[in-house]
Amino acid sequence: MKNEFSSSTFRWLACVLLATALIGCSKPPPAPPKAPPTPQEKSKNTISKAAFGTLPDGTAVDLFTMVNANGMEVRASNYGGIITALLVPDGTGKTTDVTLGLKTFDDYVKNPPYFGAIIGRYGNRIGKAQFKLDGQTYKLPKNDGPNTLHGGLKGFDKVVWQAEPFEKEDAVGVIFTYTSKDGEEGFPGNLQTRVTYTLTDQNELSFDYHATTDKPTVVNLTQHAYFNLAGDGNGDVLGHEFTIFANEYTPVNKLLIPTGKIESVTDTPFDFRNRVKLGDRVNVDNEQIKFGKGIDHNFVLKKRQQPGLTLAARVSEPTTRRVMEVHTTEPGMQFYSGNFLDDSLAAKSGKPYGKHSGFALETQHFPDSPNQPTFPSTVLRPGEEYNSKTVYSFSVR
Ligand code: GLA
């Protein structure tokens, strides 16, 4: 009885083992590892051009669409170099427009708050709309109370640039050139300006700025794209998390002109050295925040001690897991938390842009440098070259 039981158990076990082996054998062999795509298989980056609109003087303006091999897309016009759309994948691979913009070309001409534009000849403010260079005083137009903001009444954001698209193996882009005449908006010297936009297959959008002059002048060029990494029209950016690689900032007076001091960010709302939500910093009781109606301040980047392209900021958006990093050769960065947006613009998504609907990280020299002898110089002389580079790179975390 005992033996019988053992042998039937043994037979049953043998059957189970045999069946398992057979099932195992009938499984298809594991697929061989997939070879990386050949250059031919990889989708190719492209650049195309279409009509964007016509200025009141009859000048036709174009819109360039750059798409990289991952499907990231940038649309930029030769009117002010304005970036009208920037489509970037989120943590699930879904691509959404993350830059603020307007509905039509005519809306852009009606003087919006510099959405997506190249800023020049002098980014940010020049106090009392004047500066002295080599003993001579230059008077500029006042377009921000008694001060000059972003190059004057008709800055580089409102001019038509020559545009030359280019394609490379792993990048596409447009070279924008513009000659700002001697005396234009009050600035001395014919300024030959070139700004190259490049979209790489590594999801980087870079801006290379170059200028030369035939008379001593001041130059401070930047890009004024506004971002909402949760997607354009998707509420405010107060939940975005910022890290800014700056130990100091330049405090301002109530008209947002720097006092001339360079102060530590320690124990101020401007300490972004460890990741912090924007909302935790714009609704605090602080005189500087009051002056800016939020953050509208120049950060003195740590890179002052390190030449070349270095990390200035990292921004992440928790719901979509998008991350944007800013690398720059510039010593400063104006962090503007969209404080003047007031629901009044023809937003492209149809949803109004309220306060803090977007943020801008404008890499640059410090505001009002032409009147601030202790700030890094923005003077450009004949024979010298102005060179500056900033890279916005996009990823997910
Ligand atoms: C910059 C300025 C701000 C504001 C915006 C555009 O960031 O510092 O004060 O002018 O541009 O509205």
Coordinates of all heavy atoms in Angstrom, one line a residue, residues 133-212:
L133 N 29.0 107.4 -22.3 CA 30.1 106.5 -22.8 C 31.2 107.4 -23.4 O 30.9 108.2 -24.3 CB 29.5 105.5 -23.9 CG 30.4 104.6 -24.6 CD1 31.1 103.7 -23.6 CD2 29.7 103.7 -25.6
D134 N 32.4 107.2 -22.9 CA 33.5 108.0 -23.4 C 33.2 109.5 -23.3 O 33.5 110.3 -24.2 CB 33.9 107.6 -24.8 CG 34.4 106.2 -24.9 OD1 34.7 105.6 -23.9 OD2 34.3 105.6 -26.1
G135 N 32.5 109.9 -22.2 CA 32.3 111.3 -21.9 C 31.1 111.8 -22.6 O 30.7 113.0 -22.4
Q136 N 30.5 111.1 -23.5 CA 29.3 111.6 -24.2 C 28.0 111.0 -23.6 O 28.0 109.8 -23.3 CB 29.4 111.2 -25.7 CG 28.5 112.1 -26.5 CD 28.8 111.8 -28.0 OE1 29.9 111.6 -28.4 NE2 27.7 111.9 -28.8
T137 N 27.0 111.8 -23.5 CA 25.7 111.3 -23.0 C 24.8 110.9 -24.2 O 24.6 111.7 -25.1 CB 25.0 112.3 -22.1 OG1 25.9 112.6 -21.0 CG2 23.7 111.9 -21.6
Y138 N 24.2 109.7 -24.1 CA 23.3 109.3 -25.1 C 21.9 109.2 -24.5 O 21.7 108.6 -23.5 CB 23.7 107.9 -25.7 CG 25.0 108.0 -26.4 CD1 26.2 107.7 -25.8 CD2 25.0 108.4 -27.7 CE1 27.4 107.8 -26.4 CE2 26.2 108.5 -28.4 CZ 27.4 108.2 -27.8 OH 28.6 108.3 -28.4
K139 N 20.9 109.9 -25.1 CA 19.5 109.9 -24.7 C 18.7 108.8 -25.4 O 18.8 108.7 -26.7 CB 18.9 111.2 -24.9 CG 19.6 112.3 -24.2 CD 18.7 113.1 -23.2 CE 19.4 114.2 -22.5 NZ 19.4 114.0 -21.1
L140 N 17.9 108.1 -24.7 CA 17.2 107.0 -25.3 C 15.7 107.2 -25.1 O 15.3 108.0 -24.2 CB 17.5 105.7 -24.6 CG 19.0 105.3 -24.4 CD1 19.2 104.1 -23.6 CD2 19.7 105.1 -25.8
P141 N 14.8 106.6 -25.9 CA 13.4 106.8 -25.7 C 13.0 106.2 -24.4 O 13.5 105.1 -23.9 CB 12.7 106.0 -26.9 CG 13.8 105.3 -27.6 CD 15.1 105.7 -27.0
K142 N 12.0 106.8 -23.7 CA 11.4 106.3 -22.5 C 10.2 105.4 -22.8 O 9.3 105.9 -23.4 CB 11.0 107.4 -21.6 CG 12.1 108.3 -21.1 CD 11.6 109.5 -20.4 CE 12.8 110.4 -20.1 NZ 12.5 111.8 -19.7
N143 N 10.3 104.2 -22.4 CA 9.1 103.3 -22.7 C 8.7 102.5 -21.5 O 7.9 101.5 -21.6 CB 9.4 102.4 -23.9 CG 10.5 101.4 -23.6 OD1 11.3 101.7 -22.8 ND2 10.5 100.3 -24.3
D144 N 9.2 102.9 -20.3 CA 8.9 102.2 -19.0 C 9.0 103.3 -17.9 O 10.1 103.3 -17.3 CB 9.9 101.1 -18.8 CG 9.5 100.2 -17.6 OD1 8.4 99.7 -17.6 OD2 10.4 100.0 -16.7
G145 N 8.0 104.1 -17.8 CA 8.1 105.3 -16.9 C 9.3 106.1 -17.4 O 9.4 106.4 -18.6
P146 N 10.2 106.5 -16.5 CA 11.3 107.4 -17.0 C 12.5 106.6 -17.6 O 13.5 107.2 -17.9 CB 11.8 108.0 -15.7 CG 11.4 107.1 -14.6 CD 10.2 106.3 -15.1
N147 N 12.3 105.3 -17.7 CA 13.4 104.4 -18.1 C 13.2 103.8 -19.5 O 12.1 103.9 -20.1 CB 13.6 103.2 -17.1 CG 13.7 103.8 -15.7 OD1 14.4 104.7 -15.4 ND2 12.9 103.2 -14.7
T148 N 14.3 103.2 -20.0 CA 14.2 102.5 -21.3 C 14.2 101.0 -21.0 O 15.1 100.5 -20.3 CB 15.4 102.8 -22.2 OG1 15.5 104.2 -22.3 CG2 15.3 102.2 -23.5
L149 N 13.2 100.3 -21.6 CA 13.2 98.8 -21.4 C 13.3 98.1 -22.7 O 12.7 98.5 -23.7 CB 11.8 98.5 -20.8 CG 11.5 97.0 -20.6 CD1 12.4 96.3 -19.6 CD2 10.0 96.8 -20.1
H150 N 14.2 97.1 -22.7 CA 14.3 96.2 -23.8 C 14.5 96.8 -25.2 O 13.9 96.5 -26.2 CB 13.1 95.3 -23.9 CG 12.9 94.3 -22.8 ND1 13.9 93.8 -22.0 CD2 11.8 93.8 -22.2 CE1 13.5 93.0 -21.1 NE2 12.2 93.0 -21.1
G151 N 15.4 97.8 -25.2 CA 15.9 98.4 -26.4 C 15.1 99.6 -26.9 O 15.4 100.1 -28.0
G152 N 14.1 100.0 -26.2 CA 13.3 101.2 -26.6 C 12.0 101.0 -27.3 O 11.4 99.9 -27.1
L153 N 11.5 102.0 -28.0 CA 10.2 101.9 -28.6 C 10.1 100.8 -29.7 O 9.1 100.1 -29.8 CB 9.7 103.2 -29.1 CG 9.6 104.3 -28.1 CD1 9.4 105.7 -28.8 CD2 8.4 104.0 -27.2
K154 N 11.2 100.8 -30.5 CA 11.2 99.7 -31.5 C 12.5 99.0 -31.4 O 13.5 99.2 -32.0 CB 11.1 100.4 -32.9 CG 10.8 99.4 -34.0 CD 10.6 100.0 -35.3 CE 10.5 98.9 -36.4 NZ 10.5 99.4 -37.7
G155 N 12.5 98.0 -30.4 CA 13.7 97.2 -30.2 C 13.8 96.1 -31.2 O 13.0 96.0 -32.1
F156 N 14.7 95.2 -31.0 CA 15.0 94.1 -31.9 C 13.8 93.1 -32.0 O 13.8 92.3 -32.9 CB 16.3 93.3 -31.5 CG 17.5 94.1 -31.7 CD1 17.5 95.4 -32.2 CD2 18.8 93.5 -31.5 CE1 18.7 96.2 -32.4 CE2 19.9 94.2 -31.7 CZ 19.9 95.6 -32.2
D157 N 12.9 93.2 -31.0 CA 11.7 92.3 -31.0 C 10.7 92.8 -32.1 O 9.7 92.1 -32.4 CB 11.0 92.3 -29.6 CG 10.7 93.7 -29.2 OD1 11.6 94.6 -29.0 OD2 9.5 94.0 -29.0
K158 N 10.8 94.0 -32.6 CA 9.8 94.6 -33.5 C 10.4 94.9 -34.9 O 9.8 95.6 -35.7 CB 9.2 95.9 -33.0 CG 8.5 95.7 -31.6 CD 8.0 97.0 -31.1 CE 7.4 96.8 -29.7 NZ 8.5 96.5 -28.7
V159 N 11.6 94.3 -35.2 CA 12.1 94.5 -36.6 C 12.1 93.2 -37.4 O 12.0 92.1 -36.8 CB 13.6 95.1 -36.5 CG1 13.6 96.4 -35.7 CG2 14.6 94.1 -35.8
V160 N 12.3 93.4 -38.7 CA 12.3 92.2 -39.6 C 13.8 91.8 -39.8 O 14.6 92.7 -40.2 CB 11.6 92.5 -40.9 CG1 11.7 91.3 -41.8 CG2 10.1 92.9 -40.6
W161 N 14.1 90.6 -39.5 CA 15.4 90.1 -39.6 C 15.6 89.3 -40.9 O 14.6 88.8 -41.4 CB 15.8 89.1 -38.5 CG 15.8 89.7 -37.1 CD1 14.7 90.2 -36.4 CD2 16.9 89.9 -36.2 NE1 15.1 90.7 -35.2 CE2 16.4 90.5 -35.0 CE3 18.3 89.6 -36.3 CZ2 17.3 90.8 -34.0 CZ3 19.1 89.9 -35.2 CH2 18.6 90.5 -34.1
Q162 N 16.8 89.4 -41.5 CA 17.1 88.5 -42.7 C 17.1 87.1 -42.1 O 17.7 86.9 -41.0 CB 18.4 88.8 -43.3 CG 18.5 90.2 -44.0 CD 17.5 90.2 -45.1 OE1 17.4 89.3 -45.9 NE2 16.8 91.3 -45.2
A163 N 16.6 86.1 -42.8 CA 16.7 84.7 -42.2 C 17.2 83.7 -43.2 O 16.8 83.7 -44.4 CB 15.2 84.3 -41.8
E164 N 18.1 82.9 -42.7 CA 18.7 81.9 -43.6 C 18.6 80.5 -42.9 O 19.3 80.3 -41.9 CB 20.2 82.2 -43.8 CG 20.8 81.6 -45.0 CD 22.3 81.9 -45.0 OE1 22.6 83.1 -45.0 OE2 23.0 80.9 -45.0
P165 N 17.7 79.7 -43.3 CA 17.6 78.4 -42.7 C 18.8 77.5 -43.0 O 19.4 77.6 -44.0 CB 16.3 77.8 -43.3 CG 16.1 78.5 -44.5 CD 16.8 79.8 -44.5
F166 N 19.1 76.5 -42.1 CA 20.1 75.5 -42.4 C 19.8 74.2 -41.8 O 19.0 74.1 -40.9 CB 21.5 76.0 -41.8 CG 21.6 76.1 -40.3 CD1 21.9 75.0 -39.5 CD2 21.3 77.3 -39.7 CE1 21.9 75.1 -38.1 CE2 21.3 77.4 -38.3 CZ 21.7 76.3 -37.5
E167 N 20.4 73.1 -42.4 CA 20.1 71.8 -42.0 C 21.5 71.1 -41.8 O 22.3 71.2 -42.7 CB 19.4 71.0 -43.1 CG 17.9 71.2 -43.0 CD 17.2 70.3 -44.1 OE1 17.1 70.9 -45.2 OE2 16.9 69.2 -43.9
K168 N 21.6 70.4 -40.7 CA 22.9 69.6 -40.5 C 22.4 68.2 -40.2 O 21.2 67.9 -40.0 CB 23.6 70.1 -39.3 CG 24.2 71.5 -39.5 CD 25.1 71.8 -38.3 CE 25.6 73.3 -38.3 NZ 26.0 73.7 -37.0
E169 N 23.4 67.3 -40.0 CA 23.1 65.9 -39.7 C 22.2 65.7 -38.5 O 21.2 65.0 -38.5 CB 24.5 65.1 -39.5 CG 24.4 63.7 -39.2 CD 23.6 62.8 -40.2 OE1 23.7 63.1 -41.4 OE2 22.9 61.9 -39.7
D170 N 22.5 66.5 -37.4 CA 21.8 66.3 -36.2 C 21.2 67.6 -35.6 O 20.9 67.7 -34.4 CB 22.7 65.7 -35.1 CG 23.9 66.6 -34.8 OD1 24.1 67.6 -35.5 OD2 24.6 66.3 -33.8
A171 N 21.0 68.5 -36.5 CA 20.4 69.8 -36.1 C 19.8 70.6 -37.3 O 20.2 70.4 -38.4 CB 21.4 70.7 -35.4
V172 N 18.8 71.4 -37.0 CA 18.3 72.4 -38.0 C 18.2 73.7 -37.3 O 18.2 73.8 -36.1 CB 16.9 72.0 -38.4 CG1 16.9 70.9 -39.5 CG2 15.9 71.6 -37.3
G173 N 18.2 74.8 -38.1 CA 18.1 76.1 -37.5 C 17.9 77.2 -38.5 O 17.8 77.0 -39.7
V174 N 18.0 78.4 -37.9 CA 17.8 79.6 -38.8 C 18.9 80.6 -38.3 O 19.0 80.8 -37.1 CB 16.4 80.3 -38.6 CG1 16.3 81.4 -39.6 CG2 15.3 79.3 -38.9
I175 N 19.6 81.3 -39.2 CA 20.5 82.4 -38.9 C 19.7 83.7 -39.2 O 19.3 83.9 -40.3 CB 21.8 82.3 -39.7 CG1 22.5 80.9 -39.5 CG2 22.7 83.5 -39.4 CD1 23.6 80.7 -40.5
F176 N 19.5 84.4 -38.1 CA 18.8 85.7 -38.2 C 19.9 86.8 -38.2 O 20.7 86.8 -37.3 CB 17.9 86.0 -37.1 CG 16.7 85.0 -37.1 CD1 16.5 84.1 -36.1 CD2 15.7 85.1 -38.1 CE1 15.4 83.2 -36.1 CE2 14.6 84.3 -38.1 CZ 14.4 83.3 -37.1
T177 N 19.8 87.8 -39.2 CA 20.8 88.9 -39.2 C 20.0 90.2 -39.3 O 19.0 90.3 -39.9 CB 21.8 88.8 -40.3 OG1 21.1 88.6 -41.5 CG2 22.8 87.7 -40.1
Y178 N 20.6 91.2 -38.6 CA 19.9 92.5 -38.6 C 21.0 93.6 -38.4 O 21.9 93.4 -37.5 CB 18.9 92.6 -37.5 CG 18.3 94.0 -37.4 CD1 17.4 94.5 -38.4 CD2 18.5 94.7 -36.3 CE1 16.9 95.8 -38.3 CE2 18.0 96.0 -36.1 CZ 17.2 96.5 -37.1 OH 16.6 97.8 -37.0
T179 N 21.0 94.7 -39.2 CA 21.9 95.8 -38.9 C 21.1 96.9 -38.3 O 20.2 97.4 -38.9 CB 22.5 96.3 -40.2 OG1 23.2 95.2 -40.8 CG2 23.5 97.4 -40.0
S180 N 21.4 97.2 -37.0 CA 20.8 98.3 -36.3 C 21.6 99.6 -36.6 O 22.8 99.6 -36.3 CB 20.8 98.0 -34.8 OG 20.4 99.1 -34.1
K181 N 21.0 100.6 -37.2 CA 21.7 101.8 -37.7 C 22.2 102.6 -36.5 O 21.6 102.6 -35.4 CB 20.7 102.6 -38.5 CG 20.2 101.9 -39.8 CD 21.0 102.5 -41.0 CE 21.1 101.5 -42.1 NZ 19.9 100.7 -42.5
D182 N 23.3 103.3 -36.8 CA 23.9 104.3 -35.9 C 22.7 105.3 -35.5 O 22.1 105.8 -36.4 CB 25.0 105.0 -36.7 CG 25.7 106.0 -35.8 OD1 25.6 106.0 -34.5 OD2 26.4 106.9 -36.3
G183 N 22.5 105.4 -34.2 CA 21.5 106.3 -33.8 C 20.1 105.7 -33.6 O 19.2 106.3 -33.0
E184 N 19.9 104.5 -34.0 CA 18.6 103.8 -33.9 C 18.3 103.7 -32.4 O 19.1 103.2 -31.6 CB 18.7 102.4 -34.6 CG 17.4 101.7 -34.7 CD 17.6 100.4 -35.5 OE1 18.1 100.4 -36.6 OE2 17.2 99.3 -34.9
E185 N 17.1 104.1 -32.0 CA 16.6 104.1 -30.6 C 17.7 104.8 -29.7 O 17.7 104.5 -28.5 CB 16.3 102.7 -30.2 CG 15.2 102.0 -30.9 CD 13.8 102.7 -30.8 OE1 13.4 102.9 -29.7 OE2 13.3 103.1 -31.9
G186 N 18.4 105.7 -30.3 CA 19.4 106.5 -29.5 C 20.7 105.9 -29.3 O 21.6 106.6 -28.7
F187 N 20.9 104.7 -29.7 CA 22.2 104.0 -29.5 C 23.3 104.4 -30.5 O 22.9 104.4 -31.7 CB 22.0 102.5 -29.4 CG 21.3 102.0 -28.2 CD1 19.9 101.7 -28.4 CD2 21.8 101.8 -27.0 CE1 19.2 101.2 -27.3 CE2 21.1 101.4 -25.9 CZ 19.8 101.1 -26.1
P188 N 24.5 104.6 -30.2 CA 25.5 104.9 -31.2 C 26.1 103.7 -31.9 O 26.1 102.6 -31.3 CB 26.7 105.5 -30.3 CG 26.5 104.9 -29.0 CD 25.0 104.6 -28.8
G189 N 26.5 103.9 -33.2 CA 27.2 102.8 -33.9 C 26.2 101.9 -34.7 O 25.1 101.6 -34.3
N190 N 26.7 101.6 -36.0 CA 26.0 100.6 -36.8 C 26.3 99.3 -36.1 O 27.5 98.9 -36.1 CB 26.5 100.7 -38.2 CG 26.0 101.9 -38.9 OD1 24.8 102.1 -39.1 ND2 26.9 102.8 -39.3
L191 N 25.3 98.5 -35.7 CA 25.6 97.3 -35.0 C 25.1 96.1 -36.0 O 23.9 96.0 -36.3 CB 24.8 97.2 -33.7 CG 25.1 96.0 -32.8 CD1 26.4 96.3 -32.1 CD2 24.0 95.8 -31.8
Q192 N 26.1 95.4 -36.4 CA 25.8 94.2 -37.3 C 25.5 93.0 -36.3 O 26.4 92.6 -35.5 CB 27.0 93.8 -38.1 CG 27.6 94.9 -38.9 CD 26.9 95.1 -40.2 OE1 26.0 94.4 -40.6 NE2 27.2 96.2 -40.8
T193 N 24.3 92.5 -36.3 CA 23.9 91.5 -35.3 C 23.5 90.2 -36.0 O 22.8 90.2 -37.1 CB 22.6 92.1 -34.6 OG1 22.8 93.4 -34.3 CG2 22.4 91.3 -33.3
R194 N 23.9 89.1 -35.4 CA 23.5 87.8 -35.9 C 23.1 87.0 -34.7 O 23.8 86.9 -33.7 CB 24.7 87.2 -36.6 CG 24.4 85.8 -37.3 CD 25.7 85.3 -38.0 NE 26.7 84.8 -37.0 CZ 28.0 85.1 -37.1 NH1 28.5 85.8 -38.0 NH2 28.8 84.6 -36.2
V195 N 21.9 86.4 -34.8 CA 21.4 85.5 -33.8 C 21.0 84.1 -34.5 O 20.2 84.1 -35.4 CB 20.2 86.0 -33.0 CG1 19.8 85.1 -31.9 CG2 20.5 87.4 -32.5
T196 N 21.7 83.1 -34.1 CA 21.4 81.8 -34.7 C 20.6 80.9 -33.7 O 21.0 80.7 -32.6 CB 22.8 81.1 -35.0 OG1 23.6 81.9 -35.8 CG2 22.6 79.8 -35.8
Y197 N 19.5 80.4 -34.2 CA 18.6 79.5 -33.5 C 19.0 78.1 -34.0 O 18.9 77.9 -35.2 CB 17.1 79.7 -33.8 CG 16.5 81.0 -33.2 CD1 17.2 82.0 -32.7 CD2 15.1 81.1 -33.1 CE1 16.6 83.1 -32.1 CE2 14.5 82.2 -32.6 CZ 15.3 83.2 -32.1 OH 14.7 84.4 -31.6
T198 N 19.3 77.2 -33.1 CA 19.6 75.8 -33.5 C 18.8 74.8 -32.6 O 18.8 74.9 -31.4 CB 21.1 75.5 -33.3 OG1 21.8 76.5 -34.0 CG2 21.4 74.1 -33.9
L199 N 18.0 73.9 -33.3 CA 17.3 72.8 -32.6 C 18.1 71.5 -32.9 O 18.2 71.1 -34.1 CB 15.9 72.8 -33.1 CG 15.1 71.5 -32.6 CD1 14.9 71.6 -31.1 CD2 13.7 71.4 -33.4
T200 N 18.6 70.9 -31.9 CA 19.4 69.7 -32.1 C 18.5 68.5 -31.8 O 17.5 68.5 -31.2 CB 20.6 69.6 -31.1 OG1 20.1 69.3 -29.8 CG2 21.4 70.9 -31.1
D201 N 19.1 67.3 -32.3 CA 18.4 66.0 -32.0 C 18.5 65.6 -30.6 O 18.0 64.6 -30.2 CB 18.9 65.0 -33.0 CG 18.4 65.2 -34.4 OD1 17.5 66.0 -34.6 OD2 18.9 64.6 -35.3
Q202 N 19.2 66.4 -29.8 CA 19.3 66.1 -28.3 C 18.3 66.9 -27.5 O 18.4 67.1 -26.3 CB 20.7 66.4 -27.8 CG 21.8 65.4 -28.3 CD 22.2 65.6 -29.7 OE1 22.4 66.7 -30.2 NE2 22.2 64.5 -30.5
N203 N 17.3 67.4 -28.2 CA 16.2 68.3 -27.6 C 16.8 69.5 -27.0 O 16.3 70.0 -25.9 CB 15.4 67.5 -26.6 CG 14.5 66.5 -27.3 OD1 14.6 66.3 -28.6 ND2 13.6 65.8 -26.6
E204 N 17.8 70.1 -27.6 CA 18.3 71.4 -27.2 C 17.9 72.5 -28.2 O 18.0 72.3 -29.4 CB 19.8 71.4 -27.1 CG 20.4 70.4 -26.2 CD 21.8 70.0 -26.6 OE1 22.2 70.1 -27.8 OE2 22.6 69.7 -25.7
L205 N 17.6 73.7 -27.6 CA 17.3 74.8 -28.5 C 18.4 75.8 -28.0 O 18.4 76.3 -26.9 CB 15.9 75.4 -28.2 CG 15.6 76.7 -29.0 CD1 15.7 76.5 -30.5 CD2 14.2 77.1 -28.6
S206 N 19.3 76.2 -29.0 CA 20.4 77.1 -28.6 C 20.3 78.4 -29.4 O 19.8 78.5 -30.5 CB 21.7 76.4 -28.7 OG 22.0 76.2 -30.1
F207 N 20.8 79.4 -28.7 CA 20.8 80.8 -29.3 C 22.3 81.3 -29.2 O 22.9 81.3 -28.2 CB 20.0 81.7 -28.4 CG 18.6 81.3 -28.3 CD1 18.2 80.6 -27.1 CD2 17.6 81.5 -29.3 CE1 16.9 80.1 -27.0 CE2 16.3 81.0 -29.1 CZ 16.0 80.3 -28.0
D208 N 22.8 81.5 -30.4 CA 24.2 82.1 -30.5 C 24.1 83.5 -31.0 O 23.6 83.8 -32.0 CB 25.0 81.3 -31.5 CG 25.4 79.9 -31.0 OD1 26.4 79.8 -30.3 OD2 24.6 79.0 -31.2
Y209 N 24.6 84.4 -30.1 CA 24.5 85.9 -30.4 C 25.9 86.4 -30.8 O 26.9 86.0 -30.2 CB 24.0 86.6 -29.2 CG 22.7 86.2 -28.6 CD1 22.7 85.1 -27.6 CD2 21.5 86.7 -29.0 CE1 21.5 84.7 -27.0 CE2 20.3 86.3 -28.4 CZ 20.4 85.3 -27.4 OH 19.2 84.9 -26.8
H210 N 25.9 87.2 -31.9 CA 27.2 87.8 -32.3 C 26.9 89.2 -32.8 O 25.9 89.5 -33.4 CB 27.7 86.9 -33.5 CG 29.0 87.5 -34.0 ND1 29.0 88.3 -35.1 CD2 30.3 87.3 -33.7 CE1 30.3 88.6 -35.4 NE2 31.1 88.0 -34.5
A211 N 27.8 90.1 -32.4 CA 27.6 91.5 -32.9 C 28.9 92.2 -33.0 O 29.9 91.9 -32.3 CB 26.7 92.3 -32.0
T212 N 29.0 93.1 -34.0 CA 30.2 94.0 -34.1 C 29.6 95.4 -34.4 O 28.5 95.6 -34.8 CB 31.1 93.6 -35.3 OG1 30.3 93.5 -36.5 CG2 31.8 92.3 -35.1

